[in-house]
Amino acid sequence: MNQEVIIVRGNHVLSGDVTVAGAKNSALKLMAASLLGQGVSTIHNVPVISDIEIMGEVLDRLGAAVAREGHTLTIDTASVDSCETPYELVSKMRASISVLGPLIGRFGEARVAMPGGCQIGARKIDMHLVGLEALGVHFDVDHGVLHAFTPDGLHGAHVYLEFPSVGATENMLMAAVTAEGHTAIENAACEPEIEDLANMLNAMGAKVSGAGTSLIEVEGVALEALHPCDHTCVGDRIEAGTFLVGGALTGGPVTVHGIDPAFLRMAIMKLRAMGCAVECGLDWVRVTRSEPLRSVDIQTLPHPGFPTDLQAQFMLLAALADDVSVITENVFENRFMFAAELMRMGADITLDDHHAIVRGVAELEGAPVSSTDLRAGAALVLAGIVADGETSVHHLEHIDRGYEDYAGKLASLGADICRVPVSSRG
C-alpha cells in the first residue's frame, strides 16, 4: 500500500453539517459478540475503517464468514471451529483481545496472542484475567500466547474491578452470559459502548441488566439459548466530538448528526466553558463560537468523566485560548506524545508528569507533523485548518484506524484539504 499524507492549507473555515459513522469502539465488540450467536448476525452502521477490517480478518481466521454491504456487516459464525487468534492479527490491533470472552463463552477455551496496538499506554490485560478467573477460567501463557480453559465450566461470580476498564468489563460480560448462575460486575465501565454491547447480547437471548451503570448483572443462560440477531451500532461519540472541536476552532456553525448528545455531556460542558454556544437535538449537536476561546482545566476520567479520546483535540483548543489551561491525563500515560507535534506548529506546552500546562498563543504555523496515535492524528489535521500556511500530516494509518473518510468529511465542511501519495510530494 502506498503511503499517503494529508495536506491542509489553513483557511480557518469549517461550517455545515456532517454525519458520524458508527462507533468504532462499539462495532469491534459487537463483531466479537457475534461469535456467541452461532449463526448469521447482521450489524448495521458499521464504519469503513481499518480496525474493522482487521477484526473481520480475526473472525475469518476463526472460521466465520464476514461480508460487508455499505455500512452493514453480515457475520456467519455457525462454522467457527477454532478458538485461536494469531499474533500477526492481534499485534495489529489490541481490541482483538475482545474475542477472548466470547470464545470462552462458546467453547470454554481460547488461545489468544497477547495484544499489541498503538503507543498511548501499556494497556495491561491483568484486569481481564482477574475477572475471568473469578468465573472459573484458568490461564497459561506460553511463548506470548494466552491459553484460557475452564476445567470445571463457567460459573457466576461477584467481581469488583479495581478500575472501570472497558475491555475487562466487555470480556467478562461476554463470558458471563453463558456462565451458570448469577454474575455481578461492580465498578464496571459505564461507557455507552458497553450498553450497546449489552443490548446486542440481550437481542441474542442473553439476560444482562444494568449496562451503562457501575453495576452490571448477568443471569447465565445455556449456549444453546443464544441465537443470531440484527443490531444497529450506536454513533461514534469521539468522531462527533472531534468535529465539534473543529467547529469550535473556526467558529462554525458545525452540526454533527448521528449522535446522542448524552454521550458527550462532559465535552459539551467544556465547550461551553471555553466560550462556545452548543445546541442539542435528539440525535444532533451544533456548535458555534463568536467570542475568543477561553482557557479551561480538564481531567480525563472514565465515562461519564471527560474522555481520554478527546484530550488531544481539546489540547488544541486550549493552545489557542486566551490564558493558561491545565490538562491532566489520568487514563493513558503516553498520550502527551501529541504535545511535541503541536509544539512544532507553535503551541506553548509544558509537560509535568501527567499534567500539561498549555499557554494560549495567538496563532499556529503550518509544519510537517506526524500522527503519534489515532486521536492525535485527527487533532493535527484540525490544527492545520487554523494554522498559517501549509501543514502535512504523516502516518495516516493511525487516523484510518478510527475515522472513515476523515479528509473528505472535513472538505465537505469547507476545509482546504487533500490526501496524496507521499511520493507526489517529492
Side-chain angles (χ1 to χ4, degrees), residues 68-342:
R68 177 189 281 277
E69 185 173 340
H71 289 95
T72 294
L73 287 187
T74 302
I75 307 175
D76 186 352
T77 61
S79 300
V80 170
D81 55 3
S82 171
C83 58
E84 182 166 1
T85 59
Y87 174 74
E88 66 264 24
L89 292 178
V90 178
S91 63
K92 292 180 183 178
M93 183 185 65
R94 65 181 183 275
S96 48
I97 192 68
S98 61
V99 299
L100 180 63
L103 286 176
I104 293 169
R106 178 162 174 174
F107 296 109
E109 184 181 11
R111 292 179 62 85
V112 179
M114 298 293 274
C118 68
Q119 306 174 45
I120 58 174
R123 297 176 181 266
K124 295 177 181 177
I125 62 168
D126 298 4
M127 278 183 286
H128 298 239
L129 309 191
V130 170
L132 291 168
E133 282 175 341
L135 300 177
V137 184
H138 294 223
F139 292 98
D140 286 333
V141 179
D142 183 33
H143 297 286
V145 175
L146 186 69
H147 180 210
F149 54 101
T150 54
D152 303 311
L154 286 168
H155 56 77
H158 194 124
V159 181
Y160 189 94
L161 294 177
E162 63 177 86
F163 178 85
S165 161
V166 173
T169 301
E170 290 164 338
N171 261 326
M172 280 197 65
L173 190 52
M174 288 187 278
V177 293
T178 64
E180 184 178 352
H182 178 84
T183 296
I185 308 171
E186 275 200 81
N187 199 29
C190 301
E191 274 72 4
E193 294 80 12
I194 299 284
E195 191 171 358
D196 198 27
L197 173 60
N199 288 340
M200 177 166 169
L201 290 170
N202 286 338
M204 297 168 74
K207 297 180 179 177
V208 181
S209 60
T213 75
S214 60
L215 175 61
I216 299 176
E217 300 188 75
V218 184
E219 294 296 336
V221 300
L223 178 63
E224 298 73 30
L226 296 179
H227 50 76
C229 74
D230 190 292
H231 182 80
T232 299
C233 181
V234 296
D236 195 313
R237 62 195 170 98
I238 306 303
E239 184 188 6
T242 302
F243 285 117
L244 291 173
V245 166
L249 274 171
T250 64
V254 168
T255 305
V256 180
H257 300 269
I259 189 66
D260 183 342
F263 293 178
L264 287 165
R265 283 192 297 264
M266 185 61 71
I268 288 171
M269 186 176 84
K270 293 298 182 181
L271 285 171
R272 287 173 173 153
M274 297 187 82
C276 301
V278 184
E279 302 171 70
C280 300
L282 187 64
D283 63 350
W284 58 268
V285 183
R286 178 181 298 120
V287 63
T288 56
R289 179 176 61 84
S290 57
E291 58 184 79
L293 281 165
R294 297 197 293 264
S295 58
V296 70
D297 290 345
I298 289 172
Q299 291 196 54
T300 66
L301 289 168
H303 191 79
F306 189 90
T308 182
D309 280 351
L310 286 176
Q311 182 254 99
Q313 298 89 315
F314 273 76
M315 182 182 287
L316 169 58
L317 279 179
L320 291 164
D322 61 2
D323 206 339
V324 179
S325 301
V326 178
I327 298 176
T328 303
E329 177 55 63
N330 294 308
V331 181
F332 294 128
E333 65 270 23
N334 293 333
R335 202 145 217 169
F336 284 155
M337 291 189 298
F338 162 74
E341 296 301 304
L342 194 57

